[in-house]
Amino acid sequence: MNAQTLQTQTTLYIRQRVRLMVNQYAVHAALPDGSEGELLAFAQQKRMAMREQVTLYTDDTKSVPVLGFKARQVLDLGATYDVTDASGAPIGLFRKDFGKSFLRSTWHLEQPGLGEATGQERSMWVAVLRRLSENLDWLPYHFDFALGGQPAFSVEKQWALRDKYTVRIHHPHLDRRLVIAMAVGLDALQGR
């Protein structure tokens, strides 16, 4: 993942691959025609881990890590996740707003020097329907994040057999690695 090339991206695609004991995510750049481009990162999350941790690699060989996120505590309903680069240096953090998430899931994302972006499920109706039945996991949901009252980025779940997301980044100074971690986290952690 070339940092300069990544930072120019305004649209990303994330596809989930379901395996027996892990969730995997492929993050792709968008080509100018809107189709899926090169693989930027590959993430893997172990299911039923005591402390949530997801590492993103350059590809599915999982030989070169590029970033990751990890919960600060083992059990925490409003857990904070620290996002770090390959060397372990902090990039930022995100956390679920447990109180505001009863009706519509709400997340906060912080990038040093930029402030806090807040994201919430776009549709109240979809949020309520998803809470009424676990059988509606397939229902697409969308998150819109704002920073200083301005659109920062959005994560839109597409209609597909496997979870697939389109991420649109509006704020030019948002670290794309942090956005990728948050988008993967929305899928990996949303049900918790």
Side-chain angles (χ1 to χ4, degrees):
M1 180 178 353
N2 177 320
Q4 286 181 322
T5 302
L6 179 62
Q7 198 59 28
T8 65
Q9 300 298 311
T10 57
T11 304
L12 303 169
Y13 299 115
I14 300 176
R15 273 188 290 116
Q16 181 188 32
R17 301 176 189 172
V18 178
R19 302 294 186 256
L20 185 59
M21 293 304 289
V22 296
N23 288 328
Q24 296 177 334
Y25 302 90
V27 181
H28 291 267
L31 294 174
D33 67 0
S35 63
E36 201 171 273
E38 71 174 299
L39 180 69
L40 297 173
F42 178 81
Q44 183 164 301
Q45 173 214 20
K46 292 180 183 175
R47 291 191 196 137
M48 298 180 284
M50 284 301 291
R51 176 184 265 177
E52 289 297 338
Q53 180 174 349
V54 176
T55 302
L56 288 93
Y57 302 91
T58 54
D59 58 36
D60 59 6
T61 63
K62 299 180 283 182
S63 57
V64 181
V66 290
L67 68 122
F69 61 87
K70 183 177 184 178
R72 287 185 180 172
Q73 298 176 345
V74 175
L75 292 174
D76 184 2
L77 297 175
T80 296
Y81 298 86
D82 292 302
V83 183
T84 58
D85 67 13
S87 68
I91 296 172
L93 61 88
F94 61 86
R95 64 181 161 38
K96 189 169 190 174
D97 190 324
F98 184 72
K100 290 185 178 179
S101 293
F102 280 115
L103 288 178
R104 282 198 305 193
S105 293
T106 302
W107 291 82
H108 301 281
L109 177 132
E110 294 179 31
Q111 178 177 323
L114 198 58
E116 181 178 279
T118 299
Q120 190 172 54
E121 285 182 89
R122 186 179 298 162
S123 171
M124 173 70 85
W125 299 110
V126 170
V128 170
L129 283 174
R130 287 188 328 102
R131 283 155 179 74
L132 291 176
S133 174
E134 288 183 24
N135 295 332
L136 297 177
D137 282 346
W138 54 268
L139 196 61
Y141 55 87
H142 312 301
F143 280 83
D144 295 310
F145 284 78
L147 181 64
Q150 298 297 314
F153 68 98
S154 62
V155 179
E156 299 178 348
K157 186 174 181 181
Q158 307 301 315
W159 289 97
L161 237 62
R162 298 276 183 240
D163 291 349
K164 183 178 180 179
Y165 300 88
T166 301
V167 181
R168 298 190 197 290
I169 306 162
H170 311 291
H171 196 290
H173 302 297
L174 260 175
D175 189 323
R176 290 355 186 212
R177 298 169 301 172
L178 191 55
V179 172
I180 289 170
M182 181 76 253
V184 169
L186 285 174
D187 185 89
L189 307 169
Q190 186 58 27
R192 293 182 176 81

